[in-house]
């Protein structure tokens, strides 16, 4: 069975973007692949997080993994910081990476372009930690949204460089990008990605949003004056985003939704999108409350950590021997 790994950074409440671009795909993959899914709590702290809120977000994220359909009998679920080898290999990989590579990472470049002042060193170097997260397990595939493809490419470059310098050590992973829903956009500004840490919560549907609030956000989503339900990301980014959301959640092709809405107003279209979103949220939220009440989460995370730590420590040992820092 090929191995697949992915993670989500709960730097806020998980969003519909996380569900469509990542989580629901993990659920589909868990029958076909040996699936490792982690909660990227170290990646969260590249930007300041209130400790209490962070703890809540981490537990909610792990509970949502299960609520969205990840089955701990099939998928291995763990907390990134429970596996100390990620950070240790991360430092070794940092010594095999170049400043120029990190300067080219989009998230860092965007923060520089916006002249943000307090960019932490962690935010600059976290793509190397992400490379470590991936290659420590010799993953074959990494399912990611479009925005994360660059990170998997960096992981590939670092793994190839290490293999060339020290002999075959790491498998070279491949990114897997979903065909529809790889980038769900903000509802208020559909030219930017829906992001959980965005200041304006109106643009973002959270998986734990009250259904009335979620509906209101969709009904108020920014559209255009074309009066035509048509997919055109440049001219009609808002409507295109709503089409993507609807198509992703129903599997109805975008062209078929467009055809059904010929000559019908945006209000009716938005109402149907809101219905579809609310059905999805309601079923996730039902399971979320059941799992929360059942208290199984700590055991799931402990079992997951036990399984992957054996693999991670073996790989780290192999690396340390190869680079010559072990003296035994
Ligand atoms: N809007 C999105 N559309 C499609 N896929 C998305 N993903 C995130 N947002 C969208 C995918 O979810 C996986 C986990 O991503 P993440 O939450 O760890 O990191 P992120 O992409 O940086 O998410 P945010 O919400 O934008 O975080 P903040 O606000 O903290 O920077 C990835 O596969 C990602 O592509």
């Amino acid at each position: 069975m090929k191995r697949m790994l992915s993670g989500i950074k709960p730097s806020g409440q998980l969003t519909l973007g996380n569900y469509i671009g990542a989580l629901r795909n993990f659920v589909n993959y868990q029958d076909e692949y040996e699936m490792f899914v982690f909660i990227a709590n170290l990646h969260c702290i590249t930007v300041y997080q209130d400790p209490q809120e962070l703890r809540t977000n981490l537990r909610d994220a792990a509970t949502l993994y299960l609520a969205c359909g990840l089955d701990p009998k099939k998928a291995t679920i763990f907390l990134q910081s429970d596996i100390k080898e990620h950070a240790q290999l991360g430092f070794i990989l940092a010594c095999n990476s170049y400043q120029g590579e990190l300067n080219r990472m989009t998230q860092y470049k965007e923060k520089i372009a916006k002249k943000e002042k307090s960019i932490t060193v962690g935010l600059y170097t976290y793509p190397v930690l992400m490379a470590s997260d991936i290659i420590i397990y010799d993953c074959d595939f990494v399912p990611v949204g479009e925005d994360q493809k660059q990170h998997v490419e960096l992981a590939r470059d670092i793994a190839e460089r290490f293999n060339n310098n020290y002999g075959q050590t790491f498998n070279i992973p491949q990114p897997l990008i979903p065909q529809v829903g790889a980038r769900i956009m903000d509802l208020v500004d559909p030219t930017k990605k829906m992001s959980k840490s965005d200041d304006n919560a109106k643009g973002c549907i959270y998986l734990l949003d009250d259904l009335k609030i979620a509906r209101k956000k969709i009904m108020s989503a920014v559209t255009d004056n074309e009066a035509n339900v048509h997919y055109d990301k440049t001219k009609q980014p808002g409507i295109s985003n709503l089409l993507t959301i609807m198509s992703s959640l129903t599997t109805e092709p975008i062209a078929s939704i467009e055809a059904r809405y010929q000559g019908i107003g945006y209000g009716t279209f938005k109402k149907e999108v809101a219905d579809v979103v609310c059905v999805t949220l309601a079923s996730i939220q039902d399971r979320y409350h059941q799992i929360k009440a059942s208290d199984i989460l700590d055991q799931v995370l402990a079992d997951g950590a036990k399984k992957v730590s054996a693999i991670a420590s073996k790989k780290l040992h192999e690396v340390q021997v190869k680079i010559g820092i072990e003296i035994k």
Side-chain angles (χ1 to χ4, degrees):
M1 215 180 208
K2 296 275 188 195
R3 186 174 288 164
M4 181 176 271
L5 170 130
S6 201
I8 297 184
K9 156 177 73 121
S11 42
Q13 283 284 323
L14 300 199
T15 70
L16 189 66
N18 288 130
Y19 178 71
I20 293 175
L23 267 171
R24 67 181 188 136
N25 304 319
F26 303 169
V27 173
N28 292 333
Y29 291 135
Q30 68 185 341
D31 291 314
E32 217 180 313
Y33 296 93
E34 183 188 19
M35 189 79 199
F36 291 177
V37 191
F38 66 102
I39 293 141
N41 57 349
L42 293 175
H43 293 295
C44 283
I45 58 164
T46 53
V47 174
Y48 174 78
Q49 306 285 329
D50 173 80
Q52 194 120 11
E53 251 176 59
L54 180 57
R55 258 188 296 276
T56 305
N57 288 337
L58 296 179
R59 282 200 86 78
D60 278 353
T63 310
L64 280 168
Y65 280 14
L66 301 177
C68 288
L70 278 175
D71 176 353
K73 290 196 194 80
K74 298 178 185 167
T76 305
I77 302 169
F78 63 99
L79 198 60
Q80 183 186 25
S81 64
D82 278 348
I83 314 300
K84 312 278 185 272
E85 288 84 354
H86 285 224
Q88 192 161 344
L89 178 65
F91 183 76
I92 295 171
L93 297 182
C95 298
N96 286 273
S97 312
Y98 294 101
Q99 204 179 352
E101 289 176 307
L102 297 187
N103 290 347
R104 287 194 288 276
M105 300 311 285
T106 306
Q107 200 186 3
Y108 171 72
K109 268 174 38 183
E110 280 174 1
K111 295 214 182 245
I112 291 287
K114 282 194 222 152
K115 298 200 174 7
E116 284 191 27
K117 292 242 158 43
S118 41
I119 301 171
T120 65
V121 174
L123 190 123
Y124 181 64
T125 61
Y126 93 91
V128 179
L129 177 60
M130 187 162 161
S132 167
D133 300 332
I134 297 169
I135 66 177
I136 200 165
Y137 299 113
D138 282 327
C139 294
D140 298 293
F141 296 106
V142 185
V144 282
E146 225 167 55
D147 53 308
Q148 300 268 347
K149 186 167 170 241
Q150 193 189 26
H151 289 108
V152 183
E153 278 160 2
L154 179 72
R156 288 169 60 88
D157 290 346
I158 295 174
E160 271 166 11
R161 182 175 309 132
F162 192 97
N163 288 348
N164 288 337
N165 289 343
Y166 297 102
Q168 179 57 38
T169 309
F170 296 114
N171 196 27
I172 307 299
Q174 281 180 45
L176 265 191
I177 317 271
Q179 286 186 332
V180 180
R183 200 166 162 84
I184 300 301
M185 309 307 275
D186 187 273
L187 299 173
V188 174
D189 177 358
T191 60
K192 69 177 195 195
K193 186 183 128 201
M194 183 182 283
S195 271
K196 61 179 105 60
S197 62
D198 203 283
D199 292 337
N200 188 356
K202 287 186 183 149
C204 190
I205 305 272
Y206 303 101
L207 294 180
L208 296 177
D209 261 349
D210 179 277
L211 299 187
K212 280 197 193 116
I213 293 179
R215 179 174 292 281
K216 206 167 161 201
K217 287 179 182 175
I218 302 267
M219 295 309 291
S220 331
V222 166
T223 52
D224 52 66
N225 298 323
E226 303 280 321
N228 183 15
V229 176
H230 173 61
Y231 189 89
D232 180 333
K233 264 164 65 173
T234 316
K235 280 202 203 134
Q236 298 184 254
I239 286 293
S240 302
N241 190 35
L242 294 178
L243 276 166
T244 303
I245 292 174
M246 177 118 118
S247 172
S248 306
L249 295 179
T250 59
T251 68
E252 181 179 0
I254 286 178
S256 151
I257 306 172
E258 284 176 336
R260 277 199 299 115
Y261 274 92
Q262 278 307 301
I264 300 178
Y266 286 170
T268 313
F269 172 59
K270 281 178 164 179
K271 190 178 165 302
E272 193 185 329
V273 177
D275 289 344
V276 166
V277 168
C278 286
V279 167
T280 304
L281 295 191
S283 113
I284 293 173
Q285 290 177 11
D286 269 0
R287 286 197 300 270
Y288 166 88
H289 291 299
Q290 283 167 21
I291 293 158
K292 220 172 160 189
S294 77
D295 230 16
I296 58 165
L297 190 64
D298 291 329
Q299 194 57 50
V300 168
L301 294 176
D303 292 346
K306 191 170 168 208
K307 178 170 173 194
V308 296
S309 78
I311 304 170
S313 69
K314 194 164 166 237
K315 181 59 75 177
L316 179 66
H317 177 70
E318 181 190 347
V319 167
Q320 296 198 153
V321 168
K322 283 200 167 138
I323 64 174
I325 62 170
E326 295 258 356
I327 55 171
K328 281 180 271 157

